[in-house]
Amino acid sequence: MTVVAEADAMSVKPLTPLIGSEVKLPRSALIEGTFAPQIRSLLRERGVLVFPKVDLSDDEMIAFANTIGPIFVEVGEGVMMMSLDKNDTQVSAYLRASQFWHIDNVSRGIPNFASMLSARALPDEGGETEFANMYAAWEGLPADQKASLEGLRVNHSFESFQRRAIPDPTSADLESWLRLPTGSVPLVWHHNTGRTSLVLGSSAYEIIGRDPAEGRLLLCRLTEFATQPQYVYRHTWSLGDLVVWDNTGTMHRARPFAEGATRRLGRLATVGEEELV
Ligand SMILES: [Fe+2]
């Protein structure tokens, strides 16, 4: 989709056929929300939007996020620093798990609508972010398999997500993980828009009413299916890039990078607009 070709307009270029578009527009228009309705619909349509090297400050990022929707308050107010360095954030220990596929805040039952990251410091190698289009994955499933998945509910927990990164937790780790909400959500999300997506991620640990091993195998097979190359966009960061994704229709994960290397990304999300029931 290309939007208008006038000077000062917004130009949009697909990054892969099924997911991701690069969006260029004047910096001031981005921050002031001149194209906010178009950006919201593009987010739903393309899953991920890349605004190359716009280099937003915290205040500018907050201003932009507010044009998309009300900001979700997470660990304190304002932009959260995603970093594995404990000097950057008090939650650095949790952030290792972000290297595993997930949907932000899915176990709360109202996943954030738009999540966004802005690159502030990058490692020389690695540390990319990958996104998988869960609408396209659903559409790619054979009809008989789609029918067999309808109505299934899946239990999600922060513990299941964190165990990928820390398989041998201390009791203090476990206690802190257990404080976060656990919930069951549908495997197949019929959105208010009429579209349908799969709901997966490392927080998913069992399918209700299924033999546990059989349920885990199905979740694993579906994850493999949904993360095939045609459904995935991998973003290799440049400093100042702003990447925004529709967290209700995509999963994402960070890729590894060297231990001790610096990687800082500012993060904000907007509140969820649709309950996953
Ligand atoms: Fe995330």
Side-chain angles (χ1 to χ4, degrees):
M1 177 180 171
T2 301
V3 179
V4 207
E6 298 160 22
D8 291 347
M10 180 166 82
S11 72
V12 185
K13 181 181 90 181
L15 292 162
T16 80
L18 292 179
I19 177 168
S21 287
E22 183 185 85
V23 183
K24 289 195 171 157
L25 74 171
R27 217 173 159 277
S28 57
L30 177 71
I31 296 162
E32 288 160 18
T34 312
F35 295 95
Q38 290 93 324
I39 290 174
R40 277 181 61 95
S41 47
L42 268 173
L43 264 179
R44 288 212 158 96
E45 191 184 323
R46 302 294 302 156
V48 186
L49 301 180
V50 175
F51 300 88
K53 299 184 182 175
V54 286
D55 203 15
L56 300 188
S57 67
D58 280 9
D59 286 349
E60 289 167 337
M61 198 174 169
I62 289 168
F64 164 70
N66 268 318
T67 71
I68 301 299
I71 292 175
F72 178 75
V73 176
E74 217 154 7
V75 184
E77 299 273 344
V79 174
M80 177 180 164
M81 195 52 78
M82 302 292 284
S83 167
L84 298 184
D85 183 338
K86 61 181 183 326
N87 297 316
D88 288 333
T89 166
Q90 56 183 0
V91 296
S92 61
Y94 289 156
L95 297 179
R96 284 187 189 275
S98 63
Q99 295 183 0
F100 299 87
W101 287 112
H102 65 283
I103 295 173
D104 292 334
N105 286 309
V106 69
S107 45
R108 291 176 197 263
I110 307 183
N112 300 116
F113 167 51
S115 292
M116 61 193 77
L117 292 171
S118 164
R120 305 287 170 79
L122 293 169
D124 293 336
E125 264 188 279
E128 302 90 349
T129 305
E130 289 183 335
F131 302 90
N133 187 332
M134 305 301 274
Y135 288 114
W138 169 258
E139 279 154 28
L141 284 171
D144 58 336
Q145 204 176 349
K146 283 181 179 167
S148 74
L149 301 177
E150 289 284 4
L152 292 179
R153 293 189 70 84
V154 179
N155 280 325
H156 287 252
S157 74
F158 191 65
E159 178 190 351
S160 166
F161 178 44
Q162 287 297 321
R163 273 192 186 274
R164 309 286 176 125
I166 308 175
D168 192 15
T170 63
S171 59
D173 288 333
L174 193 52
E175 262 188 298
S176 71
W177 300 346
L178 291 170
R179 268 183 229 126
L180 279 111
T182 296
S184 86
V185 298
L187 178 57
V188 179
W189 187 350
H190 295 286
H191 298 250
N192 290 338
T193 54
R195 296 173 76 204
T196 305
S197 67
L198 281 171
V199 180
L200 294 167
S202 310
S203 54
Y205 65 96
E206 73 182 354
I207 299 184
I208 295 173
R210 285 280 170 107
D211 167 74
E214 189 199 315
R216 289 199 304 279
L217 188 56
L218 178 56
L219 291 170
C220 184
R221 285 191 173 133
L222 288 171
T223 304
E224 259 170 17
F225 182 88
T227 57
Q228 293 176 94
Q230 68 268 35
Y231 301 131
V232 173
Y233 168 64
R234 170 184 280 213
H235 186 65
T236 300
W237 292 95
S238 293
L239 277 180
D241 284 354
L242 172 72
V243 175
V244 187
W245 64 97
D246 171 3
N247 181 61
T248 67
T250 56
M251 290 197 291
H252 60 283
R253 67 174 179 179
R255 302 307 293 145
F257 56 96
E259 191 70 39
T262 301
R263 179 181 185 268
R264 285 194 203 101
L265 301 171
R267 176 183 193 280
L268 277 180
T270 67
V271 296
E273 298 176 5
E274 188 178 355
E275 201 173 353
L276 179 47
V277 286

